[in-house]
Amino acid sequence: MSFKYSYTFPISGPNKLPRFSQWAAEHAPGIEFSLPPQVPVKSTSLTIRLRSAEDRETLSAKLAAAKL
């Protein structure tokens, strides 16, 4: 099974990938995702790949109230 679905959300500042990974480990441990190899510091969003549409909906709901 591959990562067919994507989800883009706003996030700014440095260390986006480690911050998201740490948040996901604490708040969404059952969701499998794939991160890009790197993201520019000036970027204001992050796109991750997910395995299913249900994972995308779950992650979207959890990230709505999160501060990354």
Side-chain angles (χ1 to χ4, degrees):
M1 183 183 254
S2 64
F3 295 95
K4 294 193 241 180
Y5 299 88
S6 65
Y7 181 67
T8 302
F9 59 96
I11 183 172
S12 59
N15 302 318
K16 292 171 187 65
L17 300 177
R19 285 190 291 147
F20 175 77
S21 295
Q22 181 181 8
W23 178 88
E26 293 174 11
H27 297 96
I31 297 176
E32 292 185 56
F33 57 88
S34 174
L35 295 172
Q38 62 187 29
V39 179
V41 172
K42 292 183 179 183
S43 176
T44 59
S45 65
L46 175 62
T47 299
I48 60 170
R49 305 286 293 168
L50 301 159
R51 292 203 184 263
S52 69
E54 293 82 18
D55 286 347
R56 182 174 52 197
E57 295 301 320
T58 303
L59 188 65
S60 174
K62 291 182 183 244
L63 279 171
K67 283 195 163 191
L68 292 172

